[in-house]
Amino acid sequence: MEITVASGTSPDTTTRYVLTASREFLETAERATSIAVPTTVDQGRTSHNLMVAALRELTAASRWEVAEIGNYGELLTIIGNYETRVATLETQLANQRRISDRLSLLGGDGHAGSKPESIPDPIPFDGTRTALRPFLNQLRNKIQGNATKFPDAQHEMRYAFGFLKGAAYDVMEPHMQDHGMAFQTLAEFAHVLRTAFGDPDELHTARREIDTLQQKNREFSLYYSDFQRLMATLQWADNAKFAALEKGLSKEIKDGLALQDSAPEETFDQYVARINRLDTRLRARRQETRAPQTSASNRPAPPRAPPATPPTPPQGTTDVGTHSGPMNLSANRRRITQQERTRRISQGLCLYCGGTGHFAQECPYRPQNPLRGAEAQVVDPAAAAGTAEPAGKE
């Protein structure tokens, strides 16, 4: 409570005036803290509005212009007692206002029995350095999203303590006391975890990682998630992000970007969206080229027919002498019997192959080179001398 001292007033008047002002201030504070603790969103809105009005009254009642009071020990003691009581009431009022603010975050037309938003619990933290930031972010998201479940800081810290294990649990266990955690706020709880498991040189670590970050064969979305994680620490402006993001892109995407024109005044978010579209198209095209082709130009050629060969005349035996066609003696060069030779001559057959319509000299199955051995013995001497006669005239 602030008191502005003026001059020209008697001590009795000053004492009475100050006591009246202090009593009015105390009554205003007690009336503000008498507002019931809300349990629903609607009650929270009403409580919130009432407390805002009460705080305004407290602000107005805490400033008074009074006469010069001099050095009155008894009066100062009374005022000191008032201030102690007021400080206690203001603490209680702040707690009530905090609950009301949490309820007001839910918004909508809430009613008694309405369920809070379902938000997953954080992943338990075991002290792994890289897992600390995700754990604290998930913890903050859970507590802010389900504010009605955590009426005060002790509830928040007890909840967070339940997701510690391993080295993280060992570090925080000494801070757990009978009345609760030995912290006043969740921020203090998180500070201890950061001191024990956080990166003491987080900024320089992030700079080293961003210099070596590469997309390689990964999808762009995975590369960009790592990029964003590092940017959360580096806090670079958009104009610096352009070059840093492009530096680690795959060669394929860089080649594709070289063929595109960027839009005038393209923002960083628009640039990211353009790269993501390009990456999707390139991967779809790569998948098409790997798929089996069924077009007419890529169908296998039908098997070609074997090359035509001259018909092979039916073969008979050289011993019996009954033939349905000429014999291919070039493939089976055996001497014929005298009986077979006589039969061919009597029937006007070729002495070389046994066929009809030609003589041994014009036999199509006769090799061009001179006959050797047994072949010479099956040739008719008359045919060899060029004096062969038609069938029936021998």
Side-chain angles (χ1 to χ4, degrees), residues 116-341:
E117 183 180 357
S118 177
I119 298 177
D121 294 327
I123 299 176
F125 177 62
D126 61 358
T128 303
R129 175 170 292 179
T130 56
L132 177 59
R133 180 190 291 271
F135 171 73
L136 293 178
N137 290 337
Q138 293 167 5
L139 181 64
R140 186 184 304 107
N141 184 54
K142 176 68 175 182
I143 291 176
Q144 291 178 353
N146 294 150
T148 54
K149 291 185 177 181
F150 310 102
D152 54 46
Q154 282 298 319
H155 281 81
E156 296 173 354
M157 288 182 286
R158 288 178 181 271
Y159 172 79
F161 186 81
F163 291 92
L164 301 179
K165 64 179 183 179
Y169 179 90
D170 295 338
V171 168
M172 299 301 294
E173 184 180 18
H175 300 282
M176 176 62 76
Q177 301 175 356
D178 294 338
H179 67 278
M181 298 297 295
F183 306 113
Q184 296 299 320
T185 63
L186 184 63
E188 296 179 11
F189 179 94
H191 176 72
V192 174
L193 286 178
R194 289 193 182 96
T195 302
F197 304 106
D199 189 346
D201 197 6
E202 188 177 22
L203 184 61
H204 288 84
T205 299
R207 286 176 178 172
R208 289 192 298 269
E209 288 189 37
I210 201 67
D211 287 339
T212 58
L213 183 63
Q214 297 291 324
Q215 178 186 0
K216 297 182 178 179
N217 293 328
R218 296 185 298 166
E219 294 185 9
F220 172 75
S221 58
L222 299 178
Y223 165 71
Y224 185 63
S225 65
D226 288 339
F227 181 86
Q228 286 290 80
R229 173 179 58 82
L230 296 175
M231 283 299 124
T233 300
L234 296 173
Q235 296 293 321
W236 286 357
D238 283 354
N239 57 351
K241 290 181 181 179
F242 277 98
L245 182 66
E246 184 177 359
K247 178 182 177 182
L249 292 175
S250 67
K251 179 180 181 300
E252 194 176 23
I253 291 185
K254 287 182 179 179
D255 293 341
L257 290 175
L259 302 176
Q260 295 182 352
D261 292 329
S262 60
E265 303 298 330
E266 183 179 42
T267 66
F268 181 73
D269 290 339
Q270 292 172 339
Y271 180 62
V272 171
R274 182 158 62 94
I275 296 177
N276 196 26
R277 290 193 300 269
L278 176 60
D279 181 72
T280 302
R281 292 169 183 167
L282 291 174
R283 292 184 180 278
R285 178 56 184 160
R286 190 182 305 131
Q287 189 68 23
E288 290 178 2
T289 57
R290 291 177 180 175
Q293 301 294 326
T294 58
S295 61
S297 60
N298 292 283
R299 290 175 184 168
R304 292 184 299 176
T309 57
T312 302
Q315 296 184 4
T317 62
T318 58
D319 297 330
V320 179
T322 56
H323 295 271
S324 58
M327 296 178 58
N328 186 358
L329 296 183
S330 64
N332 187 12
R333 300 173 182 176
R334 297 192 316 173
R335 292 183 60 180
I336 62 175
T337 63
Q338 184 62 35
Q339 182 183 359
E340 173 63 15
R341 181 174 181 277

Side-chain angles (χ1 to χ4, degrees), residues 38-52:
T39 57
T40 67
V41 175
D42 291 338
Q43 292 179 4
R45 290 172 177 166
T46 302
S47 175
H48 179 75
N49 294 333
L50 290 174
M51 279 188 284
V52 170

